[in-house]
Amino acid sequence: MSPQLVVTVIFIYFSVLILISFLTSRTTDSSTFFTGNRQSPWYLVAFGMIGASLSGVTFISVPGWVASTQFGYMQMVLGYLVGYAFIGLILMPLYYRLNLISIYQYLEDRFGFWSYKTGAFFFLISRIVGASFRLFLVAGVLQIAIFDTWEISFHVTVAITIGLIWLYTFRGGIKTIVWTDTLQTLFMLLAVVIVIKNINIELDMGFAQMVTSVKESSFSQVFFWDWNESSHFIKQFLSGAFIAIVMTGLDQDMMQKNLTCKNIGEAQKNMFWFSIVLVVVNLLFLCLGAMLYIYSQSKGIPIPERSDDLFPVLALQHFDVFTGIVFLLGIIAAAYSSADSALTSLTTSFCVDFLNFQREETLENVKSQRNLRLLIHLGFSIILFAVIIIFKSLNNDAVISSVFKAAGYTYGPLLGLYTFGLFTNFKLRDWAVPIVCILSPAISYYLNLNSEQFFNGYKFGFEILLVNGGLTFLGLLLLIKKERATL
């Protein structure tokens, strides 16, 4: 596939996104940018959230991950269902009852100023890290497809990648995101289906034969029962449940979309259908991964050293041009459907949680507020650029593994704070909450490094999130005041 063809495909794709941005942001203000005026149809939100949840990480890393973890990822996916049920039944009614713009405003009502700022700060760190991992993936694909041929550096690739996101999100914010994510989810799912179909054609397989091949391959084991390994079912299932809670229910990025629905009933319908469809889609991605490895083995194609490179290398260097274009559209759609909302939610959280944009006295100064919001939006774009460059120099793991490892440390304090707030009625010495939330990830990291020595060969996996959240909860118990909260 020539770089010129790739550029043409990307140009047409982003022209469509920019057109959608123009149509959805002709009359915008802070309410439109932050909440979409709470007019989003629930089915659009649900469909678009699939792409935002999966992102380029799932599109590339989950298929590549099959070689080392087989279908074990489904253990986590099943746990997601429990997490999403908790979000729909417990967290979302709370957010709607309090009429929140930023979900971290709950922490101010429950505990006080420092707890609120601590929660918002850990979200900013979590989302910056997560979005950077995801954008790193799409930048790497563009580097292989276009910029290596033209001898353009990775730094330029990253700048172009982020610049395109900024271009179609800076005006309409979440209102634009709801519509562009719907389109991008459609492209992503079509890409997976078309790639699987074309692999079947090349290998002369029908659907039934494909199912049999995947089932009988060395990649299809779902459940694992070695307690000392991080792949054990209970560890993975519980990790999946809590990862869903923290990375969706306690994450401004994901919940901002839900809070654009007209009412709690529609938001809960969105969450129910989203969670069911997500299980099926993740299984589809794992099947794609198995088929990619089966295809490589049958054609004698060497497996790349980095598992994340398998899908891009096959699509861009071994599949036909049409499949390559479909892959390119799929990875761009997957990565951008997550990254665009991340950039918007970072801007929202900083404006609302640290600059008090939702306060009544600031809403009157519309022009000043809009200009400042644009600067913040640009500032977070620059921060993402810097973090991606740093990650490029350090990372050598599958990106999906890195995302969940990072989530264990950055979302742990949020898990502890919300658990304490929801399931106790104690007040806290608010000023000391940041200390607990900094110490808990540090102690968790130390325990993770030495787990085999301390715990007789036990290896922590993604359940380090539970350890982190538990340590935060225990630390908060030490900060209890005598009087009880009334919220």
Side-chain angles (χ1 to χ4, degrees):
M1 184 187 304
S2 70
Q4 291 80 8
L5 178 59
V6 174
V7 170
T8 301
V9 171
I10 293 173
F11 175 80
I12 294 172
Y13 181 79
F14 278 98
S15 296
V16 174
L17 294 184
I18 292 170
L19 176 61
I20 293 174
S21 175
F22 173 77
L23 294 174
T24 56
S25 62
R26 283 178 291 182
T27 55
T28 59
D29 54 20
S30 289
S31 178
T32 304
F33 190 95
F34 297 148
T35 69
N37 300 317
R38 302 200 190 278
Q39 293 297 315
S40 300
W42 69 266
Y43 45 86
L44 283 183
V45 177
F47 192 67
M49 278 183 63
I50 295 170
S53 298
L54 297 175
S55 77
V57 171
T58 304
F59 196 84
I60 288 182
S61 279
V62 167
W65 217 17
V66 165
S68 59
T69 65
Q70 302 182 56
F71 275 32
Y73 182 54
M74 281 303 296
Q75 299 175 124
M76 287 184 66
V77 173
L78 294 175
Y80 290 168
L81 291 174
V82 176
Y84 292 138
F86 179 85
I87 294 167
L89 297 174
I90 305 297
L91 292 179
M92 287 171 58
L94 173 67
Y95 298 153
Y96 269 86
R97 176 169 61 86
L98 297 176
N99 195 31
L100 302 180
I101 296 176
S102 166
I103 63 174
Y104 310 112
Q105 291 169 308
Y106 162 74
L107 297 174
E108 183 176 34
D109 293 334
R110 180 64 177 83
F111 300 124
F113 175 87
W114 289 108
S115 299
Y116 170 37
K117 301 303 179 185
T118 300
F121 172 78
F122 271 95
F123 161 72
L124 293 179
I125 298 299
S126 302
R127 186 45 61 188
I128 286 170
V129 172
S132 298
F133 283 141
R134 290 166 171 84
L135 284 171
F136 171 78
L137 273 180
V138 72
V141 172
L142 293 177
Q143 190 71 28
I144 294 172
I146 306 173
F147 296 109
D148 277 343
T149 303
W150 292 344
E151 298 183 353
I152 294 175
S153 73
F154 185 76
H155 294 64
V156 176
T157 306
V158 174
I160 293 172
T161 302
I162 296 175
L164 289 170
I165 295 175
W166 188 89
L167 194 61
Y168 71 86
T169 61
F170 77 97
R171 290 183 61 189
I174 195 65
K175 183 178 181 181
T176 297
I177 295 302
V178 167
W179 288 92
T180 56
D181 278 5
T182 300
L183 176 68
Q184 295 186 125
T185 298
L186 177 63
F187 273 116
M188 181 187 68
L189 297 182
L190 284 175
V192 175
V193 171
I194 290 171
V195 170
I196 290 176
K197 182 176 183 299
N198 287 353
I199 291 176
N200 287 349
I201 291 173
E202 288 231 11
L203 296 179
D204 196 24
M205 287 185 181
F207 178 78
Q209 190 177 355
M210 179 197 75
V211 172
T212 301
S213 297
V214 170
K215 185 178 179 180
E216 294 178 352
S217 72
S218 59
F219 308 113
S220 61
Q221 184 176 347
V222 176
F223 300 106
F224 295 82
W225 303 102
D226 184 345
W227 180 251
N228 284 328
E229 294 298 323
S230 60
S231 59
H232 188 278
F233 171 74
I234 298 298
K235 297 181 187 179
Q236 292 282 302
F237 184 84
L238 290 177
S239 296
F242 282 95
I243 283 173
I245 291 171
V246 298
M247 295 186 73
T248 300
L250 304 184
D251 184 280
Q252 176 65 24
D253 182 0
M254 297 301 295
M255 293 314 296
Q256 190 170 354
K257 297 183 182 70
N258 285 276
L259 295 176
T260 67
C261 292
K262 296 176 182 179
N263 53 55
I264 180 59
E266 292 210 351
Q268 288 176 320
K269 272 195 291 188
N270 149 53
M271 184 58 63
F272 171 78
W273 285 108
F274 156 73
S275 60
I276 297 299
V277 174
L278 195 66
V279 173
V280 178
V281 171
N282 273 292
L283 180 60
L284 186 66
F285 272 99
L286 289 169
C287 290
L288 169 63
M291 291 305 297
L292 290 173
Y293 280 102
I294 291 170
Y295 177 86
S296 298
Q297 292 169 358
S298 67
K299 299 291 185 180
I301 299 172
I303 303 297
E305 184 176 343
R306 291 180 70 253
S307 62
D308 286 346
D309 291 337
L310 175 67
F311 196 6
V313 167
L314 290 178
L316 298 174
Q317 298 178 9
H318 296 278
F319 293 162
D320 59 66
V321 172
F322 174 74
T323 307
I325 291 173
V326 167
F327 162 80
L328 193 61
L329 286 173
I331 179 57
I332 291 173
Y336 278 85
S337 63
S338 173
D340 55 13
S341 60
L343 185 55
T344 300
S345 65
L346 287 168
T347 302
T348 298
S349 178
F350 193 82
C351 289
V352 173
D353 297 326
F354 292 97
L355 300 182
N356 299 324
F357 263 41
Q358 87 283 15
R359 308 300 185 190
E360 189 172 332
E361 65 268 21
T362 62
L363 288 174
E364 297 175 2
N365 195 348
V366 175
K367 183 176 180 181
S368 174
Q369 187 184 75
R370 183 176 64 247
N371 291 339
L372 182 55
R373 191 183 70 225
L374 289 174
L375 286 175
I376 293 166
H377 206 57
L378 178 61
F380 276 112
S381 301
I382 295 171
I383 291 172
L384 291 177
F385 171 83
V387 174
I388 292 169
I389 297 304
I390 294 171
F391 180 59
K392 167 69 173 175
S393 66
L394 297 177
N395 181 68
N396 58 1
D397 291 332
V399 173
I400 191 166
S401 178
S402 300
V403 168
F404 290 140
K405 286 177 183 176
Y409 298 111
T410 60
Y411 282 99
L414 285 171
L415 177 62
L417 278 168
Y418 276 83
T419 302
F420 196 93
L422 291 168
F423 296 105
T424 76
N425 59 355
F426 295 111
K427 287 187 176 181
L428 297 175
R429 295 180 179 86
D430 180 53
W431 63 269
V433 168
I435 299 173
V436 169
C437 291
I438 290 172
L439 288 176
S440 296
I443 296 171
S444 300
Y445 183 73
Y446 178 74
L447 290 175
N448 189 37
L449 285 180
N450 298 280
S451 64
E452 293 183 70
Q453 177 184 345
F454 292 164
F455 306 113
N456 194 30
Y458 182 92
K459 295 179 182 178
F460 281 115
F462 302 137
E463 74 274 13
I464 195 67
L465 168 68
L466 308 184
V467 175
N468 194 356
L471 288 172
T472 302
F473 188 95
L474 292 175
L476 295 177
L477 288 174
L478 302 177
L479 306 182
I480 290 175
K481 289 182 177 181
K482 290 184 179 179
E483 65 267 32
R484 292 173 181 260
T486 58
L487 184 66

PDB file of all heavy atoms in Angstrom, residues 61-85:
ATOM      1  N   SER A  61      -3.820  -4.621  20.352  1.00  0.00           N
ATOM      2  CA  SER A  61      -3.180  -5.388  21.408  1.00  0.00           C
ATOM      3  C   SER A  61      -3.910  -6.679  21.756  1.00  0.00           C
ATOM      4  O   SER A  61      -3.277  -7.696  22.034  1.00  0.00           O
ATOM      5  CB  SER A  61      -3.035  -4.533  22.669  1.00  0.00           C
ATOM      6  OG  SER A  61      -1.912  -3.694  22.579  1.00  0.00           O
ATOM      7  N   VAL A  62      -5.254  -6.661  21.776  1.00  0.00           N
ATOM      8  CA  VAL A  62      -5.973  -7.890  22.132  1.00  0.00           C
ATOM      9  C   VAL A  62      -5.703  -9.008  21.128  1.00  0.00           C
ATOM     10  O   VAL A  62      -5.386 -10.134  21.529  1.00  0.00           O
ATOM     11  CB  VAL A  62      -7.484  -7.615  22.284  1.00  0.00           C
ATOM     12  CG1 VAL A  62      -8.269  -8.913  22.346  1.00  0.00           C
ATOM     13  CG2 VAL A  62      -7.737  -6.820  23.561  1.00  0.00           C
ATOM     14  N   PRO A  63      -5.782  -8.768  19.805  1.00  0.00           N
ATOM     15  CA  PRO A  63      -5.408  -9.843  18.876  1.00  0.00           C
ATOM     16  C   PRO A  63      -3.957 -10.301  19.053  1.00  0.00           C
ATOM     17  O   PRO A  63      -3.675 -11.511  19.010  1.00  0.00           O
ATOM     18  CB  PRO A  63      -5.618  -9.191  17.499  1.00  0.00           C
ATOM     19  CG  PRO A  63      -6.657  -8.157  17.723  1.00  0.00           C
ATOM     20  CD  PRO A  63      -6.364  -7.610  19.083  1.00  0.00           C
ATOM     21  N   GLY A  64      -3.045  -9.366  19.268  1.00  0.00           N
ATOM     22  CA  GLY A  64      -1.646  -9.746  19.455  1.00  0.00           C
ATOM     23  C   GLY A  64      -1.410 -10.477  20.752  1.00  0.00           C
ATOM     24  O   GLY A  64      -0.500 -11.310  20.861  1.00  0.00           O
ATOM     25  N   TRP A  65      -2.201 -10.178  21.748  1.00  0.00           N
ATOM     26  CA  TRP A  65      -2.067 -10.747  23.090  1.00  0.00           C
ATOM     27  C   TRP A  65      -2.457 -12.221  23.130  1.00  0.00           C
ATOM     28  O   TRP A  65      -2.120 -12.934  24.079  1.00  0.00           O
ATOM     29  CB  TRP A  65      -2.978  -9.952  24.021  1.00  0.00           C
ATOM     30  CG  TRP A  65      -2.453  -9.718  25.398  1.00  0.00           C
ATOM     31  CD1 TRP A  65      -1.158  -9.834  25.833  1.00  0.00           C
ATOM     32  CD2 TRP A  65      -3.235  -9.324  26.526  1.00  0.00           C
ATOM     33  NE1 TRP A  65      -1.082  -9.520  27.159  1.00  0.00           N
ATOM     34  CE2 TRP A  65      -2.339  -9.204  27.612  1.00  0.00           C
ATOM     35  CE3 TRP A  65      -4.569  -9.043  26.713  1.00  0.00           C
ATOM     36  CZ2 TRP A  65      -2.753  -8.813  28.881  1.00  0.00           C
ATOM     37  CZ3 TRP A  65      -4.996  -8.652  27.974  1.00  0.00           C
ATOM     38  CH2 TRP A  65      -4.091  -8.548  29.044  1.00  0.00           C
ATOM     39  N   VAL A  66      -3.165 -12.689  22.117  1.00  0.00           N
ATOM     40  CA  VAL A  66      -3.681 -14.064  22.098  1.00  0.00           C
ATOM     41  C   VAL A  66      -2.557 -15.093  22.219  1.00  0.00           C
ATOM     42  O   VAL A  66      -2.731 -16.144  22.851  1.00  0.00           O
ATOM     43  CB  VAL A  66      -4.515 -14.304  20.820  1.00  0.00           C
ATOM     44  CG1 VAL A  66      -4.761 -15.785  20.584  1.00  0.00           C
ATOM     45  CG2 VAL A  66      -5.852 -13.561  20.923  1.00  0.00           C
ATOM     46  N   ALA A  67      -1.402 -14.807  21.655  1.00  0.00           N
ATOM     47  CA  ALA A  67      -0.303 -15.777  21.692  1.00  0.00           C
ATOM     48  C   ALA A  67       0.154 -16.071  23.116  1.00  0.00           C
ATOM     49  O   ALA A  67       0.495 -17.208  23.442  1.00  0.00           O
ATOM     50  CB  ALA A  67       0.876 -15.262  20.866  1.00  0.00           C
ATOM     51  N   SER A  68       0.163 -15.060  23.978  1.00  0.00           N
ATOM     52  CA  SER A  68       0.682 -15.246  25.334  1.00  0.00           C
ATOM     53  C   SER A  68      -0.410 -15.532  26.358  1.00  0.00           C
ATOM     54  O   SER A  68      -0.153 -16.175  27.380  1.00  0.00           O
ATOM     55  CB  SER A  68       1.477 -14.006  25.773  1.00  0.00           C
ATOM     56  OG  SER A  68       0.664 -12.849  25.732  1.00  0.00           O
ATOM     57  N   THR A  69      -1.635 -15.059  26.121  1.00  0.00           N
ATOM     58  CA  THR A  69      -2.701 -15.229  27.117  1.00  0.00           C
ATOM     59  C   THR A  69      -3.873 -16.058  26.600  1.00  0.00           C
ATOM     60  O   THR A  69      -4.822 -16.301  27.341  1.00  0.00           O
ATOM     61  CB  THR A  69      -3.241 -13.855  27.573  1.00  0.00           C
ATOM     62  OG1 THR A  69      -3.862 -13.201  26.461  1.00  0.00           O
ATOM     63  CG2 THR A  69      -2.127 -12.980  28.116  1.00  0.00           C
ATOM     64  N   GLN A  70      -3.818 -16.484  25.332  1.00  0.00           N
ATOM     65  CA  GLN A  70      -4.899 -17.213  24.678  1.00  0.00           C
ATOM     66  C   GLN A  70      -6.217 -16.414  24.798  1.00  0.00           C
ATOM     67  O   GLN A  70      -6.210 -15.202  24.613  1.00  0.00           O
ATOM     68  CB  GLN A  70      -4.999 -18.620  25.259  1.00  0.00           C
ATOM     69  CG  GLN A  70      -3.668 -19.402  25.088  1.00  0.00           C
ATOM     70  CD  GLN A  70      -3.743 -20.802  25.592  1.00  0.00           C
ATOM     71  OE1 GLN A  70      -4.585 -21.573  25.175  1.00  0.00           O
ATOM     72  NE2 GLN A  70      -2.840 -21.160  26.490  1.00  0.00           N
ATOM     73  N   PHE A  71      -7.314 -17.080  25.139  1.00  0.00           N
ATOM     74  CA  PHE A  71      -8.583 -16.363  25.294  1.00  0.00           C
ATOM     75  C   PHE A  71      -8.843 -15.993  26.757  1.00  0.00           C
ATOM     76  O   PHE A  71      -9.966 -15.708  27.156  1.00  0.00           O
ATOM     77  CB  PHE A  71      -9.743 -17.214  24.774  1.00  0.00           C
ATOM     78  CG  PHE A  71      -9.975 -17.095  23.287  1.00  0.00           C
ATOM     79  CD1 PHE A  71      -8.926 -16.865  22.412  1.00  0.00           C
ATOM     80  CD2 PHE A  71     -11.245 -17.215  22.747  1.00  0.00           C
ATOM     81  CE1 PHE A  71      -9.127 -16.755  21.047  1.00  0.00           C
ATOM     82  CE2 PHE A  71     -11.466 -17.109  21.375  1.00  0.00           C
ATOM     83  CZ  PHE A  71     -10.393 -16.879  20.521  1.00  0.00           C
ATOM     84  N   GLY A  72      -7.768 -15.980  27.561  1.00  0.00           N
ATOM     85  CA  GLY A  72      -7.913 -15.670  28.980  1.00  0.00           C
ATOM     86  C   GLY A  72      -8.471 -14.291  29.250  1.00  0.00           C
ATOM     87  O   GLY A  72      -9.037 -14.037  30.320  1.00  0.00           O
ATOM     88  N   TYR A  73      -8.341 -13.386  28.287  1.00  0.00           N
ATOM     89  CA  TYR A  73      -8.877 -12.034  28.448  1.00  0.00           C
ATOM     90  C   TYR A  73     -10.393 -12.067  28.673  1.00  0.00           C
ATOM     91  O   TYR A  73     -10.950 -11.174  29.322  1.00  0.00           O
ATOM     92  CB  TYR A  73      -8.525 -11.209  27.206  1.00  0.00           C
ATOM     93  CG  TYR A  73      -8.983  -9.771  27.253  1.00  0.00           C
ATOM     94  CD1 TYR A  73      -8.631  -8.947  28.309  1.00  0.00           C
ATOM     95  CD2 TYR A  73      -9.759  -9.237  26.224  1.00  0.00           C
ATOM     96  CE1 TYR A  73      -9.042  -7.614  28.343  1.00  0.00           C
ATOM     97  CE2 TYR A  73     -10.180  -7.916  26.253  1.00  0.00           C
ATOM     98  CZ  TYR A  73      -9.816  -7.108  27.316  1.00  0.00           C
ATOM     99  OH  TYR A  73     -10.229  -5.805  27.345  1.00  0.00           O
ATOM    100  N   MET A  74     -11.076 -13.116  28.181  1.00  0.00           N
ATOM    101  CA  MET A  74     -12.524 -13.213  28.372  1.00  0.00           C
ATOM    102  C   MET A  74     -12.893 -13.338  29.843  1.00  0.00           C
ATOM    103  O   MET A  74     -14.010 -12.995  30.242  1.00  0.00           O
ATOM    104  CB  MET A  74     -13.089 -14.400  27.590  1.00  0.00           C
ATOM    105  CG  MET A  74     -13.274 -14.157  26.107  1.00  0.00           C
ATOM    106  SD  MET A  74     -14.339 -12.747  25.712  1.00  0.00           S
ATOM    107  CE  MET A  74     -15.913 -13.274  26.386  1.00  0.00           C
ATOM    108  N   GLN A  75     -11.981 -13.812  30.673  1.00  0.00           N
ATOM    109  CA  GLN A  75     -12.237 -13.871  32.107  1.00  0.00           C
ATOM    110  C   GLN A  75     -12.451 -12.462  32.660  1.00  0.00           C
ATOM    111  O   GLN A  75     -13.330 -12.239  33.501  1.00  0.00           O
ATOM    112  CB  GLN A  75     -11.068 -14.549  32.829  1.00  0.00           C
ATOM    113  CG  GLN A  75     -10.828 -15.989  32.394  1.00  0.00           C
ATOM    114  CD  GLN A  75      -9.592 -16.596  33.038  1.00  0.00           C
ATOM    115  OE1 GLN A  75      -9.651 -17.632  33.682  1.00  0.00           O
ATOM    116  NE2 GLN A  75      -8.458 -15.937  32.877  1.00  0.00           N
ATOM    117  N   MET A  76     -11.646 -11.532  32.191  1.00  0.00           N
ATOM    118  CA  MET A  76     -11.824 -10.135  32.596  1.00  0.00           C
ATOM    119  C   MET A  76     -13.103  -9.554  32.009  1.00  0.00           C
ATOM    120  O   MET A  76     -13.834  -8.812  32.673  1.00  0.00           O
ATOM    121  CB  MET A  76     -10.619  -9.295  32.156  1.00  0.00           C
ATOM    122  CG  MET A  76      -9.364  -9.529  32.938  1.00  0.00           C
ATOM    123  SD  MET A  76      -8.033  -8.415  32.439  1.00  0.00           S
ATOM    124  CE  MET A  76      -8.682  -6.843  32.947  1.00  0.00           C
ATOM    125  N   VAL A  77     -13.371  -9.887  30.750  1.00  0.00           N
ATOM    126  CA  VAL A  77     -14.553  -9.349  30.076  1.00  0.00           C
ATOM    127  C   VAL A  77     -15.830  -9.775  30.802  1.00  0.00           C
ATOM    128  O   VAL A  77     -16.767  -8.975  30.958  1.00  0.00           O
ATOM    129  CB  VAL A  77     -14.581  -9.793  28.600  1.00  0.00           C
ATOM    130  CG1 VAL A  77     -15.882  -9.384  27.930  1.00  0.00           C
ATOM    131  CG2 VAL A  77     -13.393  -9.204  27.844  1.00  0.00           C
ATOM    132  N   LEU A  78     -15.878 -11.024  31.278  1.00  0.00           N
ATOM    133  CA  LEU A  78     -17.041 -11.477  32.048  1.00  0.00           C
ATOM    134  C   LEU A  78     -17.165 -10.682  33.347  1.00  0.00           C
ATOM    135  O   LEU A  78     -18.272 -10.373  33.808  1.00  0.00           O
ATOM    136  CB  LEU A  78     -16.929 -12.976  32.337  1.00  0.00           C
ATOM    137  CG  LEU A  78     -17.013 -13.885  31.108  1.00  0.00           C
ATOM    138  CD1 LEU A  78     -16.761 -15.338  31.505  1.00  0.00           C
ATOM    139  CD2 LEU A  78     -18.362 -13.757  30.408  1.00  0.00           C
ATOM    140  N   GLY A  79     -16.029 -10.345  33.934  1.00  0.00           N
ATOM    141  CA  GLY A  79     -16.050  -9.508  35.135  1.00  0.00           C
ATOM    142  C   GLY A  79     -16.573  -8.109  34.851  1.00  0.00           C
ATOM    143  O   GLY A  79     -17.184  -7.476  35.716  1.00  0.00           O
ATOM    144  N   TYR A  80     -16.345  -7.632  33.625  1.00  0.00           N
ATOM    145  CA  TYR A  80     -16.853  -6.307  33.253  1.00  0.00           C
ATOM    146  C   TYR A  80     -18.360  -6.206  33.488  1.00  0.00           C
ATOM    147  O   TYR A  80     -18.878  -5.152  33.874  1.00  0.00           O
ATOM    148  CB  TYR A  80     -16.587  -6.020  31.772  1.00  0.00           C
ATOM    149  CG  TYR A  80     -15.149  -5.798  31.379  1.00  0.00           C
ATOM    150  CD1 TYR A  80     -14.790  -5.777  30.026  1.00  0.00           C
ATOM    151  CD2 TYR A  80     -14.152  -5.609  32.323  1.00  0.00           C
ATOM    152  CE1 TYR A  80     -13.480  -5.564  29.631  1.00  0.00           C
ATOM    153  CE2 TYR A  80     -12.841  -5.407  31.942  1.00  0.00           C
ATOM    154  CZ  TYR A  80     -12.501  -5.390  30.587  1.00  0.00           C
ATOM    155  OH  TYR A  80     -11.206  -5.180  30.199  1.00  0.00           O
ATOM    156  N   LEU A  81     -19.091  -7.308  33.224  1.00  0.00           N
ATOM    157  CA  LEU A  81     -20.544  -7.277  33.355  1.00  0.00           C
ATOM    158  C   LEU A  81     -20.966  -6.908  34.778  1.00  0.00           C
ATOM    159  O   LEU A  81     -21.919  -6.140  34.985  1.00  0.00           O
ATOM    160  CB  LEU A  81     -21.136  -8.624  32.965  1.00  0.00           C
ATOM    161  CG  LEU A  81     -21.048  -9.007  31.481  1.00  0.00           C
ATOM    162  CD1 LEU A  81     -21.550 -10.435  31.278  1.00  0.00           C
ATOM    163  CD2 LEU A  81     -21.842  -8.040  30.618  1.00  0.00           C
ATOM    164  N   VAL A  82     -20.258  -7.446  35.766  1.00  0.00           N
ATOM    165  CA  VAL A  82     -20.559  -7.118  37.162  1.00  0.00           C
ATOM    166  C   VAL A  82     -20.262  -5.642  37.420  1.00  0.00           C
ATOM    167  O   VAL A  82     -21.052  -4.938  38.066  1.00  0.00           O
ATOM    168  CB  VAL A  82     -19.733  -8.006  38.111  1.00  0.00           C
ATOM    169  CG1 VAL A  82     -19.968  -7.612  39.565  1.00  0.00           C
ATOM    170  CG2 VAL A  82     -20.066  -9.473  37.893  1.00  0.00           C
ATOM    171  N   GLY A  83     -19.128  -5.171  36.903  1.00  0.00           N
ATOM    172  CA  GLY A  83     -18.763  -3.777  37.090  1.00  0.00           C
ATOM    173  C   GLY A  83     -19.760  -2.823  36.462  1.00  0.00           C
ATOM    174  O   GLY A  83     -20.156  -1.818  37.072  1.00  0.00           O
ATOM    175  N   TYR A  84     -20.200  -3.130  35.244  1.00  0.00           N
ATOM    176  CA  TYR A  84     -21.156  -2.252  34.562  1.00  0.00           C
ATOM    177  C   TYR A  84     -22.517  -2.260  35.250  1.00  0.00           C
ATOM    178  O   TYR A  84     -23.223  -1.245  35.261  1.00  0.00           O
ATOM    179  CB  TYR A  84     -21.297  -2.668  33.097  1.00  0.00           C
ATOM    180  CG  TYR A  84     -20.056  -2.415  32.274  1.00  0.00           C
ATOM    181  CD1 TYR A  84     -19.599  -3.345  31.343  1.00  0.00           C
ATOM    182  CD2 TYR A  84     -19.321  -1.242  32.430  1.00  0.00           C
ATOM    183  CE1 TYR A  84     -18.455  -3.121  30.598  1.00  0.00           C
ATOM    184  CE2 TYR A  84     -18.175  -1.010  31.690  1.00  0.00           C
ATOM    185  CZ  TYR A  84     -17.749  -1.959  30.775  1.00  0.00           C
ATOM    186  OH  TYR A  84     -16.612  -1.730  30.035  1.00  0.00           O
ATOM    187  N   ALA A  85     -22.908  -3.417  35.825  1.00  0.00           N
ATOM    188  CA  ALA A  85     -24.156  -3.463  36.576  1.00  0.00           C
ATOM    189  C   ALA A  85     -24.081  -2.541  37.792  1.00  0.00           C
ATOM    190  O   ALA A  85     -25.040  -1.819  38.106  1.00  0.00           O
ATOM    191  CB  ALA A  85     -24.451  -4.904  37.018  1.00  0.00           C
TER     192      ALA A  85
END
